[in-house]
Amino acid sequence: MTSAGEAPWTVGEVAELTRVSIRTLHHYDEIGLVVPGERTASGYRVYTYDDLVRLSTVVVYRRLGLSLEEIAQLLADPGSVREHLERQRATVMSRLSELRELVHLR
């Protein structure tokens, strides 16, 4: 990811950078989960650095199996950053345990 001083990114650039489809980015915008911080004069979505930070959080939570509703609830409470991180860590540790068990079953 680039630094906060970089120019905004288009939907296509964000899709390529994050490996999230353009359709998914449009859906996240439509439901208010990750709304691009800017629009061009023509109405095209343009993502800021802060938008990419939020999107990266959403991507991690999705890969951990959280629903979009759960993610929206977590992100709605900015005071619970520590809780976010603790929940993310607990989920990852649980997944690791499950995967270890699968490996040992063979």
Side-chain angles (χ1 to χ4, degrees):
M1 196 175 296
T2 57
S3 68
E6 297 268 334
W9 295 267
T10 66
V11 173
E13 291 169 335
V14 171
E16 186 176 329
L17 180 66
T18 61
R19 297 184 181 153
V20 172
S21 73
I22 291 172
R23 179 64 197 125
T24 297
L25 292 172
H26 287 180
H27 180 65
Y28 289 173
D29 181 15
E30 290 165 8
I31 65 171
L33 190 60
V34 180
V35 177
E38 300 176 12
R39 295 269 178 168
T40 66
S42 303
Y44 292 104
R45 295 166 176 89
V46 181
Y47 291 82
T48 65
Y49 178 81
D50 289 340
D51 301 330
L52 291 182
V53 170
R54 183 175 176 95
L55 177 59
S56 67
T57 302
V58 170
V59 168
V60 168
Y61 284 144
R62 286 297 291 155
R63 289 186 179 154
L64 291 173
L66 276 68
S67 71
L68 294 179
E69 293 79 19
E70 289 173 310
I71 295 168
Q73 289 173 352
L74 285 170
L75 295 177
D77 183 8
S80 65
V81 172
R82 183 178 180 92
E83 291 173 31
H84 292 291
L85 295 174
E86 288 173 354
R87 182 174 179 168
Q88 182 178 344
R89 184 180 189 284
T91 304
V92 169
M93 296 305 290
S94 174
R95 276 270 176 89
L96 281 171
S97 294
E98 291 170 11
L99 292 172
R100 283 189 188 110
E101 289 176 18
L102 286 173
V103 168
H104 292 293
L105 288 175
R106 293 191 123 192

